[in-house]
Amino acid sequence: MSDLLYSETEDDLRAAVRSLLADRADARTVLGRIETPDPYPPGLWEALAGGIGAAGLLVPEKLGGQGAGHREAAVVLEELGRAVTPAPYLTSAVVATATLLALGAETGPVAELLGALAGGERVAVLAVPFSTAPDGRPAGTAPAGPDGPADPAEPVPAVADAVAADVLLVPRADGLYAVDAADAVLTPRSSLDLTRPLALVDAGGAGGTRLADAAAAGEAVRSGLLAGAGLLASEQLGLAEWCLEETVRHTRERHQFNRPVGSFQALKHRMAQLWLELVGARAVARAAADALATGAADAALTVAVAQAYCSKVAVRAAEECVQLHGGIGMTWEHPAHLALKRAKSDAIALGSAGRHQDAVAALVDLPAPA
C-alpha cells in the first residue's frame, strides 16, 4: 500500500518554498502586478527554480536535476497553489519537463534542454491549449497526409505561461520541435486568472529543432499532460486549504452581535463540510502524485479520479471563502478573488472534471446509462 503521508524531507521542502513565497510573492506583491504585462514577481523564478532547485525535482541527477520525483513536485505545487503564485512551475517544471523525460534521451538536444530547465536557466512550455486533457489530441498533431508531413502547426490558442517561456515545445504532424520563443509570434489573450497569462502561439514561421518523430512525440505529450493533470490536483489542494484556513481565521476575528461570526452553527457546518471535502482532496491528490512517482499501472485512473474530485473542491472552497468573508471578500484588495479565479481556471485546465469523470468510466469499463 502506498504511503500517502508527507515525509520529513517533503516537509522541509514545503517550509523552504513557503518561506520564499512569503518573502518574494506575498498577496500584496501578487495583487500589485496582476494588471501589468508581467505578473511574475521579479527574482522569484531564479530563487525557486535555481536557488531551491525546485525546477529540477523530476529530472534525474545525471541530467542535471535533483533526482526527486512527483511527490516532491506536488509539495511545491501545493505551496504555489496556496499563494496563487504567478510562476511557470506547472507548465515548465512539470508538463514540459515530463514531456521531454518521456522521450528517454540521455544525450543530445533533449538532454541539454532538460539540464537547462532543471537549473532554472530556461523556461519551456508545451504549445498546446491549456484545456487539453491527457487523452486529448493537441492542436497541430493531425496525422501526416499522403504527400508527407502536414504544414507546420496552426496557431495554438490559450497556451498558459507562453509569455514567460524561452523555449516552446511544438507538436507538429511529423514530430515534436523545440522552438525559441523569440522566433514565434505570441499574442497575449485575456484570461480569467490574471496570475497565469494565456497567449496565442504562432510558431508556424519558425523552424526549430526536431526532438522526436510523430509516434514518440504523441506518447511524450500524453505523458507530459498526464503528469500535469495529476500534479494540478496538488495545486488545487493547496488553494483550497488556504481558502478554508483564511475563512476560519476571519470568522473567528469578525464579530457580530458580540459574537464571532464563526460561532454561528450554520457557518460552522459549512466550514466543517468543507474540511471533510479537503480531507478527501488531500487523499486523491497525494495518491495521484504517488502513482506518477512510482509509475503505477493505474496512474491514468488515479489522476482522473484526483482531477474529477479536486477541481470541484477547489472551486467550492474559493466560493465559500469569498462568501464567508462578507463584503471584504468582494473587494479587489483582498486576495480571495485571486483564489476564485485560479480555481475556476484550473477547473477547465488539462481537462474538465466532467472529462475526467468520463475517463474514469472508460478506464474501469463502466458504460454510460442507457
Side-chain angles (χ1 to χ4, degrees), residues 115-179:
L117 297 185
E121 300 154 16
R122 308 193 82 184
V123 172
V125 166
L126 181 63
V128 302
F130 196 39
S131 59
T132 306
D135 60 352
R137 191 174 68 190
T141 58
D147 298 327
D151 291 335
E154 295 292 324
V156 183
V159 179
D161 289 326
V163 295
D166 304 300
V167 181
L168 300 167
L169 303 182
V170 182
R172 292 173 177 158
D174 63 332
L176 182 68
Y177 286 76
V179 175

Side-chain angles (χ1 to χ4, degrees), residues 2-364:
S2 299
D3 180 7
L4 301 185
L5 300 177
Y6 297 103
S7 67
E8 185 176 344
T9 301
E10 290 166 354
D11 286 337
D12 290 343
L13 175 61
R14 179 191 307 283
V17 175
R18 186 173 296 189
S19 175
L20 173 66
L21 297 182
D23 183 49
R24 300 288 186 91
D26 61 357
R28 177 176 295 183
T29 301
V30 174
L31 285 167
R33 299 186 66 87
I34 55 173
E35 291 185 285
T36 70
D38 181 12
Y40 305 101
L44 175 63
W45 184 252
E46 290 76 9
L48 177 68
I52 293 181
L57 290 174
L58 298 184
V59 181
E61 291 182 273
K62 61 184 178 183
L63 296 179
Q66 307 302 318
H70 297 79
R71 289 175 59 109
E72 290 79 6
V75 170
V76 175
L77 277 164
E78 286 180 26
E79 293 306 308
L80 296 176
R82 284 181 64 91
V84 196
T85 308
Y89 192 82
L90 178 69
T91 47
S92 181
V94 176
V95 176
T97 296
T99 300
L100 293 172
L101 285 171
L103 296 175
E106 297 188 356
T107 59
V110 173
E112 292 173 7
L113 181 53
L114 275 171
L117 297 185
E121 300 154 16
R122 308 193 82 184
V123 172
V125 166
L126 181 63
V128 302
F130 196 39
S131 59
T132 306
D135 60 352
R137 191 174 68 190
T141 58
D147 298 327
D151 291 335
E154 295 292 324
V156 183
V159 179
D161 289 326
V163 295
D166 304 300
V167 181
L168 300 167
L169 303 182
V170 182
R172 292 173 177 158
D174 63 332
L176 182 68
Y177 286 76
V179 175
D180 282 345
D183 295 334
V185 178
L186 306 180
T187 307
R189 293 296 194 220
S190 298
S191 60
L192 174 65
D193 178 11
L194 298 175
T195 62
R196 183 171 275 155
L198 303 176
L200 175 75
V201 174
D202 185 354
T209 303
R210 190 170 184 246
L211 302 177
D213 61 23
E219 288 301 317
V221 168
R222 278 188 285 275
S223 180
L225 294 174
L226 182 67
L231 297 190
L232 176 63
S234 294
E235 178 180 293
Q236 292 163 325
L237 169 63
L239 183 151
E241 287 181 333
W242 178 86
C243 288
L244 178 58
E245 291 171 11
E246 179 64 18
T247 302
V248 170
R249 182 198 63 76
H250 175 77
T251 55
R252 278 177 174 165
E253 296 177 356
R254 174 73 172 162
H255 282 64
Q256 206 167 45
F257 309 117
N258 291 322
R259 291 174 56 187
V261 296
S263 66
F264 293 102
Q265 193 173 41
L267 300 192
K268 284 183 180 177
H269 285 179
R270 287 170 65 170
M271 289 183 278
Q273 178 60 36
L274 191 54
W275 181 82
L276 290 173
E277 294 176 18
L278 273 176
V279 172
R282 186 177 301 114
V284 295
R286 291 291 292 170
D290 188 74
L292 290 167
T294 58
D298 63 348
L301 174 61
T302 310
V303 167
V305 170
Q307 266 305 299
Y309 190 79
C310 291
S311 289
K312 295 179 180 179
V313 172
V315 170
R316 217 179 78 74
E319 289 175 341
E320 287 288 73
C321 182
V322 172
Q323 288 288 327
L324 297 183
H325 270 77
I328 193 173
M330 307 291 178
T331 64
W332 195 251
E333 289 75 16
H334 196 280
H337 69 91
L338 296 178
L340 180 59
K341 291 168 183 171
R342 173 65 69 88
K344 290 280 191 181
S345 176
D346 280 358
I348 57 173
L350 300 167
S352 65
R355 177 67 177 266
H356 287 286
Q357 286 174 333
D358 291 343
V360 171
L363 289 167
V364 300

